[in-house]
Amino acid sequence: TRCLSDWSSDVCSSDLVWGDGTDTYGWDSPTVLTGLENVVWSTSDNKAHPSILPLTNGDLLTVWAQGTYENEVWTSTRTAGVWSAPVQITTSTSWSFGASPCLLRVSDDRILLLAWVSSAGSTATLRVLSSSDSGATWDLTGPGALPEAVDLGTYTLYQTRAAYAAGQILLLVWLLDGSTPPGEPNEIRQYASSDGGCTFSLVWQSDTNATSPFEGGTYPDVISLLDGSFVVGFINHDVNITIYRLSSAFQSIGGLTPTTINAGPTQNEIVMACDENGSLYLTTRLDGGGKQWISYTSTDGGSTWVPMARSGLLDVGSGFWWSSGNTYPQYLVSCWQRSE
């Protein structure tokens, strides 16, 4: 981000410019990837399902699942451009396989962490932890927040995403139904809470038996807008991005007509963010065409989306990301952080 007083075209290389009558401001248009830095790195443990949250003091807090079965939860904080040494969260000792932790702020001084816990490896539910010291310590708010547990004999746990607005939490859960249903086996469930995450109600779940049209999908994400509404997105059965605008966490996705984005071949993963002016940003990975990334923006709450940037190299193969042709970024997350 850059602030330019006495702006003129010969000194501004930004793509987006606005003025307040005195100063003119410009942003470099957010691109797919401008650089990579390791939060943690090793080849011995799985690391998956990260979540990231900007803190009120300007730091960044991140959590992720780690371990052979991704049943450990670790955290790190980025302060003054440096990531702290990872710390394992041991408030719960029964994290499930694929714990998929998720962060959200419910007030200026209270952060929630949601992650899966299991009972004897047969069922799983989400446990909610609370922190009032920017993630330095965590307290357990309750043993389980969902109205009923998930059967691990049928379902595999995947991504969990949540957002907070106007006293409500909207929670999205991605589960893989292993019973080979006739419809889309990747099930999306929508939960909502109005008591700060102590309890959640099931609002909607995709029908894995539905085939006309198919329901459900993969890689769900949700963000809250300045007016207290929510924008939900995921990759549907037809491998298109579907976007829903919800006025409340308790408004069901079911029955709504989504905005659809067909970004290119085999879309795989989406991440979204909202800036302080209400502009939305969405990035998706194209599984074909050399693992490219493409970014979109929306200024009308998610009704329409305009392409912003695309990977500069075409058909470079996944080796572009690392020396191995089978290695590339996965399970990305995003947040909006304004720098001065």
Side-chain angles (χ1 to χ4, degrees):
T1 304
R2 60 183 62 157
C3 172
L4 301 174
S5 59
D6 301 322
W7 170 82
S8 63
S9 59
D10 60 338
V11 298
C12 180
S13 61
S14 303
D15 295 315
L16 304 175
V17 176
W18 66 276
D20 60 9
T22 302
D23 293 329
T24 301
Y25 302 83
W27 287 266
D28 288 327
S29 178
T31 54
V32 179
L33 285 175
T34 57
L36 292 171
E37 59 183 16
N38 291 326
V39 179
V40 60
W41 172 263
S42 76
T43 58
S44 57
D45 276 336
N46 291 339
K47 297 172 183 64
H49 301 288
S51 181
I52 193 168
L53 184 72
L55 303 179
T56 54
N57 63 0
D59 293 348
L60 290 174
L61 176 67
T62 185
V63 297
W64 64 91
Q66 183 170 317
T68 302
Y69 302 106
E70 299 166 10
N71 59 342
E72 301 171 1
V73 177
W74 290 73
T75 183
S76 177
T77 302
R78 190 177 191 269
T79 303
V82 179
W83 289 101
S84 64
V87 175
Q88 185 175 3
I89 298 177
T90 57
T91 304
S92 175
T93 58
S94 57
W95 299 121
S96 176
F97 292 0
S100 187
C102 175
L103 292 169
L104 72 157
R105 180 187 294 107
V106 294
S107 66
D108 285 345
D109 60 355
R110 185 164 178 254
I111 297 169
L112 298 185
L113 186 155
L114 293 76
W116 290 101
V117 293
S118 63
S119 175
S122 58
T123 62
T125 188
L126 276 176
R127 182 161 290 174
V128 181
L129 307 182
S130 174
S131 175
S132 57
D133 55 11
S134 299
T137 59
W138 297 92
D139 297 315
L140 182 65
T141 63
L146 299 185
E148 62 180 26
V150 173
D151 181 2
L152 295 180
T154 302
Y155 290 98
T156 301
L157 307 175
Y158 281 106
Q159 190 161 287
T160 304
R161 291 287 182 264
Y164 173 86
Q168 298 179 351
I169 298 172
L170 194 159
L171 169 68
L172 295 176
V173 170
W174 167 23
L175 306 171
L176 177 62
D177 186 343
S179 64
T180 61
E184 172 57 58
N186 288 286
E187 183 176 315
I188 303 292
R189 295 188 184 183
Q190 174 192 357
Y191 296 90
S193 172
S194 58
D195 59 7
C198 293
T199 59
F200 284 85
S201 300
L202 178 63
V203 177
W204 174 80
Q205 67 185 89
S206 60
D207 184 356
T208 56
N209 292 311
T211 58
S212 183
F214 289 93
E215 296 185 6
T218 58
Y219 299 101
D221 201 6
V222 56
I223 54 175
S224 58
L225 305 189
L226 302 179
D227 63 0
S229 61
F230 298 88
V231 171
V232 168
F234 55 84
I235 307 294
N236 69 4
H237 178 82
D238 296 320
V239 203
N240 291 320
I241 301 169
T242 51
I243 304 293
Y244 300 85
R245 174 79 174 268
L246 306 178
S247 60
S248 162
F250 291 88
Q251 181 183 6
S252 175
I253 296 172
L256 297 180
T257 301
T259 296
T260 301
I261 304 173
N262 185 345
T266 319
Q267 297 162 106
N268 199 339
E269 294 192 65
I270 63 169
V271 292
M272 297 189 295
C274 178
D275 71 16
E276 71 270 26
N277 298 311
S279 294
L280 311 183
Y281 303 93
L282 180 152
T283 298
T284 182
R285 176 165 62 86
L286 307 183
D287 212 25
K291 312 295 184 188
Q292 299 175 63
W293 287 85
I294 184 169
S295 295
Y296 290 81
T297 185
S298 173
T299 57
D300 57 9
S303 295
T304 58
W305 295 84
V306 178
M308 297 181 64
R310 187 166 181 159
S311 297
L313 299 177
L314 302 180
D315 299 320
V316 293
S318 53
F320 169 69
W321 305 108
W322 195 247
S323 57
S324 167
N326 295 317
T327 303
Y328 51 87
Q330 190 175 17
Y331 294 127
L332 265 73
V333 290
S334 68
C335 67
W336 178 266
Q337 185 186 42
R338 181 182 177 85
S339 58
E340 298 300 332

